[in-house]
Amino acid sequence: MRQLFKTRTFARWSRKAQVSDKALVKAIAEMEARLIDADLGGSVYKKRVPLPGRGKEAVRGYWSRRGM
């Protein structure tokens, strides 16, 4: 079994956004299968993670409300 680690900043975000570890593990599995939203160059990838009760499209609105 492989170990996955979250940075402190990412753990804080996932807790506030109520994203479960199960959803994050599923997103990582999809990325390993090359199902990514964008390749930003180097080893940087973008992958949307569904927010509880709102789906993956809600992620876009979540970040736009925060000015990012």
Side-chain angles (χ1 to χ4, degrees):
M1 182 183 241
R2 173 185 42 194
Q3 290 183 337
L4 303 171
F5 299 95
K6 294 188 281 188
T7 64
R8 181 180 296 163
T9 304
F10 187 82
R12 188 176 299 129
W13 170 83
S14 65
R15 187 175 54 250
K16 287 180 181 181
Q18 299 175 343
V19 177
S20 69
D21 287 344
K22 186 176 179 180
L24 294 173
V25 170
K26 183 178 178 188
I28 291 168
E30 289 176 359
M31 290 177 75
E32 288 177 336
R34 295 292 188 193
L35 299 172
I36 58 174
D37 294 327
D39 182 352
L40 303 176
S43 61
V44 179
Y45 300 97
K46 176 181 175 184
K47 178 68 180 168
R48 290 190 177 110
V49 179
L51 296 177
R54 296 182 284 192
K56 289 184 181 181
E57 291 299 317
V59 174
R60 190 175 308 146
Y62 178 86
W63 287 112
S64 64
R65 286 191 303 272
R66 280 152 182 74
M68 296 181 171

